[in-house]
Amino acid sequence: MNRLLLFAPMGLLIAGFALSVLGLLWSSLIHGGAALYADLLTDPIILRVLWRTAWIAVVTTGLCAVLGYPLALFLARSPRRNLWLILVISPWLVSIVVRTFGWMVLLGNRGVINTSLRGWGIIDSPIRILFTPTAVIIGLVHVFIPFMVIAILSSLLQQDRRLEEAGRILGGTRWQTFRRVTLPLSMPGVTGGCSLVLLMAAGAIVTPLLLGGLRDRMLGTQIYSEIFQVYNFDRATAMAVLLLVLALLLVAPLRLLEARLRHRLEAG
């Protein structure tokens, strides 16, 4: 009985999510029907937005994993882990809008980066960084990398350090022990963090809107535009369904990989 009570909040969350998704799908089919989806999937602008959303989300996730793993490994081995962890998650104390405006100051034509490069004589004219996919990726990595670090850190802290010591005793170098012991055991945390970041990056609105502008839109900003600028709620609803499908397609391989890794670890 106690376990059922513990699962009750999870059941409410799942039910609320399922009902909202079904309501969204039903609304798009009632008001627009299959013709609306056909129109979106044959629109070259929407197809470019879908492709841009997918590859920016994937690149952001990859960079978060590459940059976040060494940081998580450092935190797991550091005796002052709690202090460093506070520094990692401290950006969450500041609004995402404020942080994104900070990147606008840094990446603008008259920002710190371009001003410094011109002052050092490296460039003659400003480099266009702001309002490009590069700026969006930089902003998204900055926003989401703490999630990746925490996911990997939780996996590293669950490892038995004696396994690494055994690997070293058996003659393995630090790199061999990391590659054959530490990294495989931490892969569930990596795939979990990648899934989380991939979902959030695909549906991001504020950072792509401010750093990418109106030219290089992602699907989230396109939906925002349809609702608050064009007032086309039917089209925005269908786009939201497409965003959900895109997110599921992106995350599905990661979830399958995580299941296989957990099965191998349990079997081993």
Side-chain angles (χ1 to χ4, degrees), residues 85-226:
L85 186 58
I86 291 174
L87 294 178
V88 170
I89 65 176
S90 60
W92 289 348
L93 301 176
V94 182
S95 168
I96 186 174
V97 177
V98 175
R99 283 181 281 163
T100 304
F101 270 116
W103 280 111
M104 294 179 70
V105 173
L106 291 174
L107 302 177
N109 290 340
R110 297 183 180 180
V112 176
I113 295 177
N114 275 308
T115 302
S116 300
L117 292 177
R118 294 182 68 180
W120 296 333
I122 298 177
I123 59 175
D124 296 326
S125 59
I127 301 175
R128 185 173 180 270
I129 306 175
L130 190 61
F131 303 133
T132 65
T134 301
V136 175
I137 291 173
I138 292 173
L140 290 177
V141 170
H142 176 248
V143 170
F144 295 136
I145 196 170
F147 295 96
M148 181 69 73
V149 172
I150 291 176
I152 299 175
L153 178 62
S154 63
S155 181
L156 290 172
L157 293 178
Q158 292 176 5
Q159 293 182 18
D160 191 344
R161 294 293 301 275
R162 291 175 296 182
L163 296 175
E164 297 182 9
E165 295 174 358
R168 296 298 304 277
I169 292 173
L170 293 174
T173 62
R174 289 183 180 273
W175 167 247
Q176 290 174 332
T177 303
F178 169 77
R179 183 168 59 87
R180 298 184 178 182
V181 179
T182 306
L183 182 60
L185 291 176
S186 63
M187 283 306 295
V190 175
T191 55
C194 287
S195 300
L196 185 62
V197 172
L198 194 59
L199 288 172
M200 292 189 296
I205 296 178
V206 176
T207 301
L209 186 64
L210 296 178
L211 296 182
L214 300 177
R215 182 178 178 182
D216 297 317
R217 294 183 178 183
M218 294 177 64
L219 197 53
T221 56
Q222 188 69 31
I223 295 172
Y224 176 89
S225 176
E226 293 289 340

